[in-house]
Amino acid sequence: GVSVEDFENLGDFADIFDQMFGDRGRAGPAGGARGGRVRPQPQPQPQRGADIEHPVTLTFNQAARGTTLPLQISRDGKLETIDIKIPAGVKDGSRVRIRGKGQDSPGGESGDLFIITRVHPHPYFRREGLDILVDVPISVYEALLGTKVEVPTLEGRISITIPPGTSSGSKLRIKTRGIERGVDKGDQFCVVKIIVPKGLSDEDKALVQKLAEKQPINARADVQW
């Protein structure tokens, strides 16, 4: 007789036989392969449509406050006009993603449209993060005595107060007049630039000299060179 151990040994021998000859060495009664398994071939996955990149040129104000623009793009060989929303706060070189507006794919997901922003520099505004800076020229007399000046903002002109004794380079803050981005909003800073008179006569120089003697200023007292 054959013991359980012999059956286990025969099973091991059958495994070795399979490894050497494969299913050809284990033909069934009808001469066909016995115990062979047909593995299903993986089905090809639908390919995603290609993305599209499109440059858009914006003004400083459009980039700062956001805008909606009609855009003509080529999708799948056809020209299509769509309205795109540019969010507030984009910078030069920002990428705005619009899902599903890329090339189509039969049976697959459409690609995306990426808007690459180009922002024109402003003639007098400049940007630092979410803040806007603008230079405000004033005369030396206005700096000494103080004055009110109308300055531009993205929402129009407003009046600001220049305190007496304001130094050149001082920054006067106008809250929430900067760049918007989501719930955040920067400020506007007016950078004072003092303009001094030229071509003083001897009499004018004498008057300035008297003022300098009466109100001396050590302009470099805090400078560590």
Side-chain angles (χ1 to χ4, degrees):
V2 181
S3 65
V4 174
E5 182 179 356
D6 292 328
F7 274 121
E8 292 175 349
N9 292 335
L10 286 174
D12 294 340
F13 181 80
D15 291 339
I16 296 173
F17 195 82
D18 277 346
Q19 294 176 12
M20 294 177 62
F21 300 100
D23 290 338
R24 293 177 298 171
R26 301 181 61 188
R34 182 171 63 87
R37 295 181 180 178
V38 179
R39 295 184 178 179
Q41 295 297 320
Q43 296 297 320
Q45 296 297 319
Q47 294 296 314
R48 183 178 178 274
D51 294 331
I52 299 174
E53 288 191 353
H54 198 287
V56 169
T57 301
L58 305 172
T59 66
F60 186 92
N61 293 51
Q62 288 174 328
R65 293 291 181 259
T67 187
T68 299
L69 298 173
L71 180 66
Q72 191 175 66
I73 60 173
S74 176
R75 298 183 64 207
D76 307 302
K78 299 179 181 179
L79 287 179
E80 180 179 343
T81 301
I82 59 174
D83 289 333
I84 58 169
K85 184 176 181 181
I86 304 296
V90 297
K91 298 183 292 185
D92 189 72
S94 293
R95 289 166 59 89
V96 180
R97 181 182 184 184
I98 303 174
R99 294 181 179 273
K101 289 300 182 179
Q103 302 292 3
D104 289 334
S105 175
E109 180 184 1
S110 296
D112 297 328
L113 171 63
F114 288 90
I115 303 300
I116 313 299
T117 59
R118 297 287 179 262
V119 182
H120 273 308
H122 198 276
Y124 43 84
F125 288 131
R126 58 189 182 275
R127 175 176 178 172
E128 289 186 3
L130 295 183
D131 295 328
I132 291 176
L133 279 70
V134 61
D135 292 336
V136 179
I138 63 172
S139 71
V140 65
Y141 316 115
E142 291 173 322
L144 290 171
L145 302 175
T147 187
K148 288 184 178 293
V149 180
E150 276 198 351
V151 298
T153 72
L154 290 180
E155 282 77 29
R157 301 173 70 87
I158 64 172
S159 179
I160 63 171
T161 299
I162 308 292
T166 297
S167 300
S168 188
S170 298
K171 293 181 178 180
L172 305 179
R173 179 184 180 189
I174 307 175
K175 292 184 177 181
T176 67
R177 291 298 181 101
I179 304 292
E180 297 178 3
R181 188 168 61 194
V183 298
D184 298 323
K185 196 170 185 178
D187 302 320
Q188 176 171 318
F189 289 91
C190 300
V191 184
V192 174
K193 302 292 183 183
I194 295 179
I195 309 300
V196 299
K198 297 180 180 180
L200 295 178
S201 66
D202 291 341
E203 183 181 357
D204 295 334
K205 291 178 182 178
L207 290 174
V208 173
Q209 182 62 38
K210 288 183 180 180
L211 179 61
E213 293 172 356
K214 187 176 181 180
Q215 297 288 341
I217 299 174
N218 188 351
R220 290 166 293 282
D222 297 329
V223 176
Q224 296 181 355
W225 285 338

